[in-house]
Amino acid sequence: MSKLYGSVEAGGTKFVCAVGDDDFQVLEKTQFPTTTPYETIERTVEFFKRYEDRLAGIAIGSFGPIDIDKNSPTYGYVTSTPKEHWANVDLLGLIAKEFNVPFYFTTDVNSSAYGEMMVRKNVSSLVYYTIGTGIGAGAIQNGEFIGGLGHTEAGHVYVPRHPRDYSNEFYGSCPFHKGCLEGLAAGPSLEARTGIRGELIEQNSDVWDIQAYYIAQAAVQATLLYRPQVIVFGGGVMGQAHMLKRVRDKFTALLNGYLPTPPVEEYIVTPAVPENGSATLGNLSLAKDLSNN
Ligand code: ZN
């Protein structure tokens, strides 16, 4: 029987577990809410146990911050997350001790970035942002993840505030920073400003323009710092069809022709992998690479 590979997309809201074959065809996929570490990890282990005799590797893409330094005593841990019960949890260790296969451990957004790179021809430098209940980004340069002491945390960069946010004295909803990208532009910021849940806010509300202004700043930063070939914006907020055009327009205005980039419709895009499958695809490939090394 051919080998199988495992993917764990460990999100702050839900876990998505999948097994796939050599061609990254998904044989089975399941998801469940992220509850306590004990319960969530137990369900993850249970899912993969049924495939144990054929599994050749498992990749975990996790919400963070996480420790990805293999020489660190807390390698594989979720570290300083404000998510209840999950700070300082040995996510990788608690799963890996149940299996006799190699594991790859990275951020959920790195997994998504990897999946998005795989489906694009001649792309080896890419940045993937998720704009949802939180904001994170995975960055790949020449086929390798960017990071030094740890993974990057591009969701928590400080961004200049929109004039209307100044007048509201709104500093964002991040418990760590006053005025970071995630606090000002992730889903919860919409409700914090308006008192209305994001999906119920009218399309002509100027709150969308405020949010697009911050997301466009992220695209400018990614452009200036990494010079990627493409910037992918995923996540629930970008599922609103009108957002992409707003972000492209504001990006063009903010960069102001300073650097050449590909045409904005090709450069700033939403995911090419359908059905939120970017991270699963990326993980299956990372898991396969492990078992080939
Ligand atoms: Zn922050």
Side-chain angles (χ1 to χ4, degrees):
M1 279 201 290
S2 61
K3 288 179 186 172
L4 296 179
Y5 307 97
S7 162
V8 183
E9 186 183 356
T13 316
K14 65 174 191 284
F15 269 46
V16 181
C17 298
V19 288
D21 63 15
D22 258 324
D23 303 318
F24 311 126
Q25 294 299 314
V26 174
L27 272 66
E28 188 183 349
K29 195 172 193 172
T30 188
Q31 65 177 58
F32 38 86
T34 309
T35 54
T36 61
Y38 178 82
E39 186 178 52
T40 314
I41 289 168
E42 190 174 66
R43 292 184 80 166
T44 304
V45 170
E46 224 173 72
F47 174 79
F48 289 110
K49 275 290 172 190
R50 290 185 288 122
Y51 296 94
E52 194 171 18
D53 50 347
R54 291 176 67 191
L55 276 175
I58 298 176
I60 301 174
S62 175
F63 71 101
I66 57 175
D67 186 347
I68 58 167
D69 175 3
K70 285 186 179 159
N71 297 316
S72 158
T74 52
Y75 171 64
Y77 279 57
V78 176
T79 59
S80 51
T81 179
K83 189 174 170 56
E84 218 183 334
H85 308 302
W86 281 89
N88 306 311
V89 166
D90 184 8
L91 176 62
L92 171 63
L94 290 169
I95 298 173
K97 74 179 171 62
E98 303 291 338
F99 299 92
N100 191 24
V101 296
F103 274 77
Y104 193 91
F105 188 63
T106 189
T107 61
D108 48 0
V109 278
N110 269 352
S111 299
S112 294
Y114 208 77
E116 286 295 317
M117 179 182 73
M118 286 173 60
V119 295
R120 291 181 157 79
K121 261 198 193 133
N122 303 321
V123 168
S124 60
S125 296
L126 172 149
V127 178
Y128 175 95
Y129 281 91
T130 182
I131 315 282
T133 48
I135 295 183
I140 299 175
Q141 192 103 62
N142 298 324
E144 303 280 340
F145 292 126
I146 289 179
L149 294 173
H151 57 85
T152 57
E153 275 284 349
H156 293 268
V157 296
Y158 287 97
V159 285
R161 279 186 298 147
H162 190 281
R164 232 178 65 95
D165 268 354
Y166 267 114
S167 58
N168 288 342
E169 295 200 28
F170 181 67
Y171 291 92
S173 42
C174 173
F176 287 89
H177 312 113
K178 260 188 164 185
C180 73
L181 177 64
E182 175 172 296
L184 290 169
S189 73
L190 293 168
E191 191 171 348
R193 279 193 196 90
T194 61
I196 304 169
R197 287 178 58 86
E199 61 269 28
L200 300 177
I201 298 173
E202 300 279 349
Q203 255 193 50
N204 59 7
S205 166
D206 69 348
V207 81
W208 296 117
D209 260 346
I210 294 176
Q211 197 183 26
Y213 172 74
Y214 294 122
I215 298 169
Q217 288 190 50
V220 171
Q221 290 163 352
T223 299
L224 297 174
L225 292 168
Y226 306 131
R227 299 294 276 130
Q229 292 163 286
V230 59
I231 301 173
V232 183
F233 283 105
V237 169
M238 296 306 290
Q240 308 252 2
H242 59 99
M243 279 303 283
L244 189 59
K245 181 174 183 328
R246 289 179 204 266
V247 171
R248 284 171 175 163
D249 289 350
K250 292 204 182 320
F251 166 82
T252 303
L254 287 171
L255 189 63
N256 198 20
Y258 183 61
L259 293 172
T261 62
V264 73
E265 293 78 16
E266 294 163 28
Y267 184 57
I268 295 179
V269 296
T270 49
V273 181
E275 292 168 19
N276 300 318
S278 317
T280 298
L281 177 63
N283 278 338
L284 293 177
S285 176
L286 290 164
K288 185 177 173 178
D289 290 350
L290 274 176
S291 69
N292 291 340
N293 290 334

